[in-house]
């Protein structure tokens, strides 16, 4: 099994996760390039705050899909939490306002801002947004370069948290006390319709036929620790990680310094191999001397990740 299996499997969303600086953007951009070259209409989305796709593709990429120059079938999009929130308000704001009219007298912006603060709402919308891309916008594949802080897996659980929060909101926060009256509220009907949406989203992302999670890590103590944590958390949710990329490997040391670095990495690489080689595909990626920028260099990484 290798990363190339993803091609045959025709997954719709590939999520790259791991701690900051391990190479998520580099490997997800190379992967997106690979599938675009194979002829699949591919959209790479980065939700990491640090502007990353623009740097790596050396072209200005913003919150709307931008074709990557010189690569057919490849588009990029960078979306930060503020933009996610802005779009969420446009999509759901009027509904929320209307449904809340019966029990709360608050200006539109205050009310929508208030509801938008519910925990998990950003994540919920991010998933909704990505699902829209593959379902309605004609992409064969979305490669998602996730933000390190937004603990990727929590995304799959948060819609529920968020809905539970909203369910109690009118009673707890808005001073509506009568339970009987509450049950007939349009606000609760709205929440029910959101729950359905949320379940649909969660089901899509939890289905291994649609979504694959690729864990990116490095052979250092922190990298091993992080891998262990993520694999454990996935298991708790009944999900398995099938692909790991171990990046930054020193392969041909030609100095004392690099030899020592390689010796530092070796036990951690062995730890990762021993712990996970039985249950997932581990792809090793060497540390390049050059900076990995532009489609030509990304092509070098692509060839290593997807050897023909
Ligand atoms: N295999 C590699 N060889 C050389 N440089 C790398 C490699 N992988 C990543 N880098 C560099 O390391 C830095 C962090 O990588 P990046 O992909 O941005 O990580 P992340 O998205 O996980 O924060 C970038 O400057 C990138 O060019
Ligand atoms: Mg990044």
């Amino acid at each position: 099994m290798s990363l190339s299996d993803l091609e045959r499997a025709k997954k719709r969303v590939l999520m790259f996760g791991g701690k900051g600086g391990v190479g998520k953007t580099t490997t997800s951009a190379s992967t997106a390039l690979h599938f675009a070259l194979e002829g699949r209409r591919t959209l790479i989305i980065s939700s990491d705050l640090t502007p990353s796709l623009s740097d790596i593709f050396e072209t200005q990429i913003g919150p709307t899909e931008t074709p990557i120059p010189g690569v057919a079938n490849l588009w990029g999009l960078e979306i930060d939490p503020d933009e996610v929130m802005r779009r969420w308000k446009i999509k759901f704001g009027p509904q929320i306002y209307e449904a809340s009219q019966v029990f709360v007298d608050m200006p539109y912006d205050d009310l929508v801002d208030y509801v938008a603060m519910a925990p998990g709402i950003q994540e919920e919308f991010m998933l909704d947004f990505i699902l829209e891309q593959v379902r309605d916008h004609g992409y064969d594949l979305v490669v998602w370069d996730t933000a390190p802080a937004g603990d990727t897996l929590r995304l799959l659980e948060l819609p529920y948290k968020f809905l539970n929060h909203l369910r109690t909101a009118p009673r707890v926060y808005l001073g509506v006390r009568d339970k009987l009256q509450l049950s007939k509220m349009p606000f609760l009907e709205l929440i029910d319709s959101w729950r359905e949406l949320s379940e649909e989203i969660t089901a899509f992302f939890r289905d291994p036929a649609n979504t694959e999670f690729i864990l990116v890590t490095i052979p250092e103590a922190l990298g091993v620790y992080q891998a262990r944590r993520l694999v454990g958390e996935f298991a708790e949710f009944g999900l398995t990680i099938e692909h790991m990329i171990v990046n930054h490997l020193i392969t041909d040391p030609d100095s004392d310094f690099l030899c020592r670095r390689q010796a530092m990495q070796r036990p951690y690489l062995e730890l990762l191999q021993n712990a996970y080689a039985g249950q997932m595909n581990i792809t090793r990626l060497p540390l390049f001397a050059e900076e990995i920028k532009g489609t030509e260099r990304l092509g070098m990484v692509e060839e290593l990740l997807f050897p023909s």
Side-chain angles (χ1 to χ4, degrees), residues 287-301:
L287 181 69
F288 285 66
E290 306 83 17
E291 202 176 16
I292 305 170
K293 263 184 169 194
T295 46
E296 203 175 305
R297 294 263 167 85
L298 285 172
M300 289 160 53
V301 175

Side-chain angles (χ1 to χ4, degrees), residues 35-308:
F35 288 109
L37 293 173
E38 299 266 296
R40 297 187 73 192
R41 285 173 59 85
T42 304
L43 174 67
I44 178 164
I45 296 180
S46 180
S47 55
D48 198 344
L49 263 180
T50 45
S52 42
L53 294 183
S54 296
D55 283 345
I56 204 162
F57 285 112
E58 299 178 311
T59 190
Q60 192 49 48
I61 297 173
T64 50
E65 56 232 64
T66 310
I68 306 297
V71 188
N73 302 312
L74 185 57
W75 288 261
L77 186 156
E78 288 177 336
I79 189 161
D80 65 25
D82 288 343
E83 178 66 17
V84 171
M85 188 58 83
R86 203 181 64 78
R87 294 191 193 199
W88 185 85
K89 285 180 186 171
I90 292 170
K91 184 165 177 182
F92 293 109
Q95 270 182 293
I96 294 167
Y97 187 65
E98 205 195 311
S100 313
Q101 285 298 292
V102 239
F103 65 93
V104 63
D105 181 24
M106 246 173 150
Y108 180 88
D109 284 336
D110 292 354
L111 180 78
V112 175
D113 281 349
Y114 169 76
V115 176
M117 279 173 355
I121 207 157
Q122 297 253 343
E123 289 82 356
E124 157 97 25
F125 190 68
M126 191 64 205
L127 295 176
D128 179 49
F129 177 77
I130 287 177
L131 186 53
E132 243 178 43
Q133 306 305 314
V134 286
R135 199 182 42 199
D136 309 327
H137 293 198
Y139 288 108
D140 297 319
L141 177 71
V142 168
V143 175
W144 181 11
D145 173 23
T146 67
D151 267 2
T152 319
L153 177 74
R154 302 242 172 271
L155 296 174
L156 300 178
E157 156 198 53
L158 270 164
Y160 292 114
K161 276 200 181 144
F162 152 65
L163 287 162
N164 282 335
H165 171 93
L166 281 189
R167 190 167 279 290
T168 53
R171 199 159 54 237
V172 177
Y173 300 98
L174 305 173
V176 178
R177 291 179 201 287
D178 188 340
K179 265 194 175 174
L180 290 170
Q181 226 182 320
L182 206 60
S183 66
K184 292 198 204 81
M185 274 178 28
F187 190 78
L188 291 189
E189 280 165 26
L190 175 65
I191 289 178
D192 276 342
S193 75
W194 284 1
R195 201 193 49 232
E196 274 165 37
L197 179 69
S198 176
E199 279 165 2
E200 187 194 329
I201 293 172
T202 310
F204 177 89
F205 281 94
R206 288 184 66 101
D207 185 349
N210 300 323
T211 309
E212 189 74 55
F213 182 84
I214 295 121
L215 169 59
V216 186
T217 191
I218 51 174
E220 289 178 18
L222 259 176
V224 171
Y225 171 74
Q226 161 109 14
R228 197 176 287 152
R229 216 191 71 203
L230 265 167
V231 171
E233 285 184 354
F234 265 68
E236 261 176 50
F237 284 83
L239 297 167
T240 51
I241 299 178
E242 293 188 359
H243 294 278
M244 177 187 290
I245 295 173
V246 184
N247 190 15
H248 284 183
L249 278 173
I250 310 284
T251 44
D252 300 302
D254 54 7
S255 68
D256 178 47
F257 174 80
L258 287 178
C259 285
R260 279 158 52 204
R261 228 148 153 99
Q262 188 183 43
M264 176 280 287
Q265 292 184 342
R266 196 170 292 124
Y268 296 114
L269 180 63
E270 277 168 13
L271 264 172
L272 289 169
Q273 291 277 144
N274 292 341
Y276 303 112
Q279 67 191 86
M280 65 179 85
N281 161 245
I282 299 180
T283 303
R284 303 171 179 210
L285 187 62
L287 181 69
F288 285 66
E290 306 83 17
E291 202 176 16
I292 305 170
K293 263 184 169 194
T295 46
E296 203 175 305
R297 294 263 167 85
L298 285 172
M300 289 160 53
V301 175
E302 183 263 328
E303 279 175 23
L304 292 175
L305 292 181
F306 299 90
S308 43

